[in-house]
Amino acid sequence: MTMNALSQAASFYLKSAMHQPVAWHEWGAEAFARAVAEDKPILLDIGAVWCHWCHVMDRESYEDPALAQVINQNFVAVKVDRDERPDVDTRYQAAVAAISGQNGWPLTAVLTSEGQPFFGGTYFPRDDRYGRPGFERVLRSMVDAWKTRREEVMESAGSVVAAIEYNENFAGHHGNLSMGIVDQMVASALDKFDRHHGGFGGQPKFAHPSAIDLLIDRSGNPAAREVALVTLEKMARGGVYDQLGGGFHRYSVDEAWVVPHFEKMLYDNAELLKNYVHAFQTFLDPEFARVARDIIRWMDAWLTDRERGGFYASQDADINLDDDGDYFTWTRAEAAAVLTPEEMEVAGAYYDIGDLGDMHHNPAKNVLHVKHSLKAVSAELLASAKAKLYAARGQRPTPFVDTTIYTNWNSLAVSAYLQAAQVLRLPEVKEFALLTLDRLLQNGPAHVVSYTGVAGMLDDYAFLVHACLDGWLATGEMRYYHSAVELADRMVAEFYDSTGGGFFDAVAGSLGVLNARRKPLQDSPTPAGNPAAAAALLRLEALNGRADLREKAEDTLEAFAGVVGQFGLYAGTYGLALERLLLPPVQVVVIGSDEIADELEAAALVGWAVNKSVIRLSRDQIAGPLPPLLAETLPLLPDLGKSLAMVCKGTSCLPPAVDPDDLLTLLKK
């Protein structure tokens, strides 16, 4: 069997196309040089290993020898893994959106031989159908345009590149910073709230974790509290949550959270884990703690390198193209075959397993979702049924797990695990998070830990700084604090725009449109790089008092203040970063190693707030090296002969608390 150049690729997604008759190239100088030498346009395909319609287009079009011949004769074909190269993906997504009003995956674009886009779309069927033009007809018309209307093509491509640069830089949008901007974001979330089903807007429905955290932080507002509570409760009861295995699917295709797109992403589960931990801290509902532990159960089982540390990228939705979530769904007969009649009666009612199910391709298939409360069913029978269903599902062919380890997504997961470990008292979870953090710190950071070749980008640095600071809070070990400082300084040196403020997402490249500078502001769906970087600098400044870090954070947030209100709940990370800037940091330091210290720490963790941090230190640690601002305060503590907690707000500290109730009173004040 013949193989194309993708046989040498490291990415699983690219390797999956190595037997296709298309003469694919990886993104790189060789492909562009060939396009120039042969005076051919470039056919760019951007997708991901978890993307169902990417695989459909592969099978229908790129595995068709006749269509491959058209491509090979007239184009230089380049295939890109969007997870491996987010810098390439985001720019061409913006380009195709400017051309066609569409974006998403698979992304299909036709570029000049220099890499400037002049045509684009998403999925194209092999032949005319679904109201879409057939791919061969599209390609032949692009070849004709390239050969007969070159001047028009080049003019179109130039205008698209100009649109990318204008849309992505937010130039001239500086503004004044105030809590009114955060109020706008909260109001946007309240306005889009689906009171019946939870979440925001209609279908398809995504979670928006940063916006949920912003609402939890504002839970003193009864409306914000209701939106956060209802959304988290409805999501956890829906089919978008894997009721058997734990963990969340990427999004729901319906407004009621019942039928998901079944792929599971590391970044979604990391960010939602934080949401449920923060909700438990704030609302003290044990159901939120249960969901958090269940997310960890799935991540531990499916997405972790237990020996070396590291979180894998994703789990696919399907076994093959004829499958649509069959691994995760059940007919009533399939469920009845593994359960006793008594178990089936309980599980059928609880998970809404009916003869008529939820899936369009097979109406007998049910997505398990919670229809009734646990009080209405037998807990013992339900637990038995759940265990049997999960064991039976484990005998089915399992969707592919992409074992690539990305620094940015891993950093999010490390932070989530460390926060969950502190709040829920899970020492094994903390241990694995620190093992992973140490592995990330040995790596550069490059964007990909699993293999070399892709340089670290803004997200990799910003999220890793946060992970290091969470490592410091979890251990009191100064090496994590020092790593955070070093990474932050490198992040500023490589990505900060000292002229216009804000951070570029990547070092400028020379291929295609990589020289278009981009300053990410919108969460899509991971936290946006600029506010995440600003928040990281503010967290550091609260520990060391470095004015230069605060100034750059403030300049970054100011650079977008004039436009960010338009983004509403899609800029939740910005809202959280702005609160860090405008509210004084509150730090609770618990000193001691006995049961009283445990109780003080538990009291300190009640009520999550973005500007509050809690650290547990021993007497030996406070006598040793500490970050500068802490070093100015803690050595002055009296030795009361017992465990105690200090509450410091800004640069002033309250008297020590030795009783958990007294500490709660201090924190409420």
Side-chain angles (χ1 to χ4, degrees):
M1 182 179 290
T2 58
M3 291 191 293
N4 57 44
L6 296 186
S7 63
Q8 303 302 310
S11 154
F12 287 113
Y13 175 64
L14 298 186
K15 274 186 178 295
S16 71
M18 67 183 179
H19 293 299
Q20 292 173 3
V22 176
W24 289 114
H25 295 71
E26 289 191 71
W27 177 273
E30 180 184 350
F32 283 85
R34 181 180 169 192
V36 171
E38 298 181 8
D39 191 30
K40 288 182 178 178
I42 293 170
L43 173 63
L44 177 66
D45 173 77
I46 303 179
V49 71
W50 44 263
C51 167
H52 173 77
W53 286 100
C54 300
H55 298 314
V56 171
M57 195 162 173
D58 277 344
R59 181 172 73 174
E60 290 180 347
S61 295
Y62 297 132
E63 293 177 10
D64 181 334
L67 188 56
Q69 186 175 9
V70 174
I71 294 171
N72 294 338
Q73 287 177 350
N74 297 286
F75 298 88
V76 172
V78 176
K79 202 171 188 73
V80 171
D81 181 340
R82 63 87 44 210
D83 295 338
E84 181 184 60
R85 293 303 304 260
D87 54 338
V88 176
D89 176 60
T90 51
R91 284 160 176 76
Y92 284 103
Q93 291 284 351
V96 170
I99 292 168
S100 67
Q102 299 178 317
N103 59 7
W105 304 284
L107 192 79
T108 307
V110 182
L111 323 177
T112 68
S113 48
E114 288 76 25
Q116 296 185 332
F118 62 91
F119 175 82
T122 53
Y123 163 77
F124 289 96
R126 171 65 175 86
D127 303 303
D128 295 3
R129 66 178 189 274
Y130 308 133
R132 295 172 180 262
F135 196 36
E136 182 171 357
R137 181 154 68 91
V138 168
L139 292 177
R140 290 192 183 279
S141 66
M142 290 302 103
V143 172
D144 179 70
W146 179 254
K147 291 179 177 178
T148 64
R149 304 192 303 278
R150 181 74 63 92
E151 186 175 336
E152 179 184 329
V153 163
M154 300 305 288
E155 183 179 346
S156 173
S159 65
V160 171
V161 172
I164 299 173
E165 294 178 334
Y166 177 80
N167 291 336
E168 297 293 313
N169 266 323
F170 304 105
H173 291 292
H174 288 66
N176 296 322
L177 298 174
S178 72
M179 292 300 286
I181 296 175
V182 183
D183 294 337
Q184 278 184 278
M185 294 173 182
V186 172
S188 170
L190 299 184
D191 181 61
K192 291 181 170 60
F193 176 52
D194 179 345
R195 292 190 171 278
H196 187 59
H197 301 295
F200 310 100
Q203 59 187 29
K205 189 170 275 184
F206 292 82
H208 301 290
S210 292
I212 292 173
D213 261 357
L214 190 61
L215 293 168
I216 295 172
D217 187 70
R218 288 294 190 95
S219 60
N221 173 343
R225 180 186 183 93
E226 178 193 9
V227 175
L229 279 168
V230 172
T231 296
L232 291 172
E233 288 168 358
K234 295 287 189 179
M235 286 173 57
R237 293 168 67 90
V240 74
Y241 187 69
D242 183 350
Q243 300 294 334
L244 298 181
F248 282 88
H249 301 290
R250 193 161 68 97
Y251 67 93
S252 175
V253 301
D254 64 284
E255 61 187 10
W257 302 110
V258 174
V259 180
H261 253 226
F262 288 95
E263 62 271 9
K264 290 180 174 180
M265 310 302 297
L266 171 60
Y267 56 75
D268 285 325
N269 282 281
E271 292 299 281
L272 285 165
L273 173 57
K274 291 177 192 173
N275 284 158
Y276 282 91
V277 169
H278 297 162
F280 173 65
Q281 289 178 260
T282 303
F283 307 124
L284 303 180
D285 184 339
E287 177 65 6
F288 293 142
R290 183 197 68 80
V291 175
R293 291 189 184 94
D294 214 31
I295 295 171
I296 292 170
R297 173 175 68 93
W298 174 73
M299 291 174 70
D300 278 354
W302 292 96
L303 288 194
T304 55
D305 181 340
R306 304 308 300 176
E307 182 180 346
R308 295 183 295 167
F311 293 89
Y312 302 144
S314 62
Q315 183 177 28
D316 208 341
D318 310 314
I319 306 302
N320 54 49
L321 295 182
D322 301 316
D323 168 29
D324 189 359
D326 288 349
Y327 173 78
F328 298 100
T329 57
W330 297 81
T331 66
R332 187 168 180 86
E334 287 172 339
V338 298
L339 302 179
T340 67
E342 295 79 12
E343 290 168 338
M344 185 65 209
E345 182 179 0
V346 168
Y350 186 74
Y351 290 128
D352 196 21
I353 307 173
D355 292 321
L356 181 63
D358 310 294
M359 302 297 294
H360 290 300
H361 80 294
N362 182 354
K365 279 280 193 175
N366 292 267
V367 182
L368 303 190
H369 58 282
V370 178
K371 189 174 182 180
H372 300 290
S373 68
L374 189 59
K375 295 175 184 176
V377 301
S378 164
E380 186 175 342
L381 279 173
L382 180 65
S384 173
K386 182 176 178 179
K388 287 182 179 180
L389 289 170
Y390 188 51
R393 193 177 85 176
Q395 301 303 308
R396 298 173 176 177
T398 304
F400 176 76
V401 172
D402 179 359
T403 57
T404 309
I405 296 174
Y406 295 107
T407 295
N408 53 349
W409 299 356
N410 267 254
S411 298
L412 295 175
V414 166
S415 289
Y417 262 45
L418 289 175
Q419 291 174 39
Q422 183 183 39
V423 172
L424 303 177
R425 298 194 178 180
L426 303 171
E428 300 86 357
V429 170
K430 172 182 171 180
E431 182 181 350
F432 182 78
L434 295 173
L435 178 65
T436 299
L437 179 55
D438 290 340
R439 184 176 179 185
L440 297 179
L441 290 173
Q442 293 168 4
N443 196 55
H447 177 58
V448 186
V449 176
S450 313
Y451 50 85
T452 59
V454 185
M457 301 174 213
L458 175 62
D459 285 3
D460 299 304
Y461 280 81
F463 300 167
L464 188 53
V465 172
H466 282 287
C468 287
L469 290 171
D470 289 323
W472 146 252
L473 290 175
T475 64
E477 293 185 23
M478 286 295 289
R479 64 189 180 100
Y480 293 125
Y481 165 76
H482 290 311
S483 293
V485 173
E486 179 188 350
L487 286 164
D489 287 337
R490 288 173 58 188
M491 178 177 73
V492 168
E494 291 207 27
F495 306 108
Y496 186 68
D497 179 2
S498 57
T499 303
F503 289 84
F504 297 115
D505 66 326
V507 175
S510 58
L511 298 179
V513 294
L514 288 186
N515 58 353
R517 305 316 306 272
R518 185 176 168 272
K519 295 179 180 178
L521 170 63
Q522 178 177 322
D523 301 329
S524 57
T526 53
N530 266 278
L537 298 184
L538 291 168
R539 290 183 71 184
L540 272 174
E541 185 266 340
L543 290 170
N544 60 25
R546 278 179 49 182
D548 62 312
L549 299 180
R550 184 176 183 84
E551 288 167 5
K552 288 181 173 60
E554 187 168 359
D555 288 347
T556 295
L557 297 175
E558 281 182 348
F560 306 104
V563 71
V564 71
Q566 302 171 20
F567 288 82
L569 64 88
Y570 298 96
T573 303
Y574 182 98
L576 293 167
L578 184 55
E579 287 196 324
R580 282 192 186 276
L581 177 75
L582 299 178
L583 299 173
V586 175
Q587 188 158 52
V588 185
V589 183
V590 177
I591 301 166
S593 54
D594 55 11
E595 290 184 5
I596 295 297
D598 292 342
E599 293 173 7
L600 288 168
E601 184 179 15
L605 290 167
V606 171
W608 180 78
V610 67
N611 61 321
K612 183 179 80 171
S613 61
V614 178
I615 186 168
R616 175 93 166 259
L617 297 173
S618 67
R619 282 281 174 185
D620 288 341
Q621 283 176 310
I622 65 168
L626 291 169
L629 289 187
L630 274 184
E632 291 177 13
T633 304
L634 295 184
L636 304 177
L637 284 174
D639 187 351
L640 302 177
K642 61 180 74 174
S643 296
L644 57 89
M646 290 289 296
V647 179
C648 300
K649 184 175 182 179
T651 56
S652 62
C653 297
L654 299 171
V658 296
D659 179 84
D661 291 334
D662 292 342
L663 177 57
L664 282 171
T665 301
L666 290 176
L667 288 170
K668 286 177 183 176
K669 289 181 180 179

